Amino acid sequence: MQIQVNTSNGITNKDTLERWADTEIKQHLSRFVADVTRVEVHLSDENHDKAGGGDKCCVMEARLAHHQPLAVTQHAASLDEAFRGAADKLKRLLDNTLGRLNHRARDSIRKDGEGFVAE
């Protein structure tokens, strides 16, 4: 799984930020490593010149093998809160989406028309 971190609007993109984000995402989404090819993280401070809560934003986009990308957005008072909130949202979204996809791919006893017969 490849992790790409992008920053804008007054946030400096430091090597420590990238290493931290890489470690956190790989740890948080470890069970999806077979399905997710890349995660893009976009961090921004929407009104970096002014004070105020909820102005930090984190958008995470997960690229899945053979499926459409999935994206989540989280606004918070700090970058850490925005990042962690987006990571939690993305984990739930991947869990739900991949769970549905895997459920559809499995064979069902109802498909064969005979059903289950107890002896």
Side-chain angles (χ1 to χ4, degrees):
M1 178 182 341
Q2 180 185 5
I3 312 297
Q4 181 179 347
V5 178
N6 302 304
T7 60
S8 63
N9 295 336
I11 298 173
T12 55
N13 192 4
K14 299 179 182 178
D15 290 337
T16 54
L17 175 65
E18 288 182 0
R19 282 193 303 271
W20 175 78
D22 185 84
T23 302
E24 288 291 316
I25 290 172
K26 285 182 178 173
Q27 217 172 30
H28 212 69
L29 304 178
S30 62
R31 70 179 201 211
F32 305 110
V33 72
D35 299 301
V36 177
T37 58
R38 182 173 75 201
V39 176
E40 290 187 26
V41 180
H42 303 273
L43 297 168
S44 63
D45 186 349
E46 295 182 343
N47 59 353
H48 63 279
D49 294 335
K50 303 172 194 168
D55 64 332
K56 307 300 188 273
C57 181
C58 180
V59 177
M60 287 190 187
E61 182 179 303
R63 302 289 176 111
L64 302 174
H66 312 294
H67 297 287
Q68 293 291 325
L70 302 173
V72 296
T73 302
Q74 179 70 35
H75 294 271
S78 72
L79 283 175
D80 185 56
E81 291 173 11
F83 180 89
R84 292 180 191 280
D88 287 340
K89 281 184 178 181
L90 185 60
K91 183 177 181 180
R92 285 192 307 272
L93 181 60
L94 286 167
D95 212 10
N96 290 336
T97 302
L98 293 173
R100 280 194 305 265
L101 291 172
N102 290 336
H103 180 71
R104 287 181 192 154
R106 290 188 311 195
D107 288 332
S108 172
I109 62 171
R110 295 180 197 133
K111 287 183 181 177
D112 62 8
E114 294 178 22
F116 178 75
V117 179
E119 292 182 24

